[in-house]
Amino acid sequence: AILYFTNIKGVYGLEGTLGFIGAGNMSSAIISGILQTGLLPPARILVSNRHESKLEVPARRGVFTTTDNKDVAKSADMVILSIKPQMFPEVLPELAPLLWDKCVISIAPGRSMAWLSLQLPGAHIVRAMPNTPLLVGKGVTAVAEAPQVPRPLFDAVVEIFSSVGEVSIVPESMLDAVTAVSGSSPAYFFRMADAMVKGAGRLGMDPEEALRLIALTMEGAAKMLL
């Protein structure tokens, strides 16, 4: 697949670059999916994080890494904000002048497209809510409708998240509900599995075997539900 990044200046195609502000688990999962599907080569991916230790894994994959967020904002055609929402007031002001006319994808909860547009004037804002199973290529991401964003650009966003799982397009007003339904719920499933493993242990079952049986049962039950 060829990923096209479109803005007012034209179509970038394979010349397009994708940047990540933040190098946490979500960035790592998305980058893995992109590289495994061949959506973009490593040379077209940029990642920034203020802690160098967080950049070791992406650097080993051959992507460009930096501790300066502005390097990514300047060089990337499309930027994913993969930082916690409480960091936005500190990070966004220095990036705003560099993101004019670029697509910016926020994967943080609680900050609306209207709010982000005020912080990043001139940027094409898209919001998405992925979940942690992206780490194993089985994630689900809700992408908020963004009629103000050019359609080819929005389709490119959907293609990025499709490389690491399933995508559902929803009204932005539903993103808070999505955060509960799919964004945070893996943690509840893990908590339930943990309780079941402990219960199995009290009955004398080997914990590792119990966890295997529980996880396979959860997987099978999910397939039945689907």
Side-chain angles (χ1 to χ4, degrees), residues 4-13 16-17 73-79 98-104 122-124 148-154 156:
Y4 290 96
F5 299 155
T6 307
N7 68 9
I8 294 169
K9 296 175 185 174
V11 177
Y12 291 93
T17 51
K74 266 188 251 181
S75 303
D77 300 308
M78 177 180 282
V79 174
L98 306 172
L99 294 174
W100 178 272
D101 197 26
K102 296 185 179 184
C103 182
V104 178
H124 302 292
Q148 76 284 359
V149 173
R151 186 70 199 195
L153 194 55
F154 184 82

Side-chain angles (χ1 to χ4, degrees), residues 3-57:
L3 179 62
Y4 290 96
F5 299 155
T6 307
N7 68 9
I8 294 169
K9 296 175 185 174
V11 177
Y12 291 93
L14 286 178
E15 295 303 310
T17 51
L18 177 62
F20 292 80
I21 305 294
N25 286 339
M26 283 300 181
S27 293
S28 179
I30 297 166
I31 291 168
S32 292
I34 289 170
L35 296 179
Q36 286 169 14
T37 57
L39 200 59
L40 282 176
R44 300 294 180 205
I45 300 173
L46 308 88
V47 185
S48 66
N49 197 280
R50 58 187 177 186
H51 301 298
E52 276 193 60
S53 59
K54 288 276 193 178
L55 296 171
E56 292 174 3
V57 172

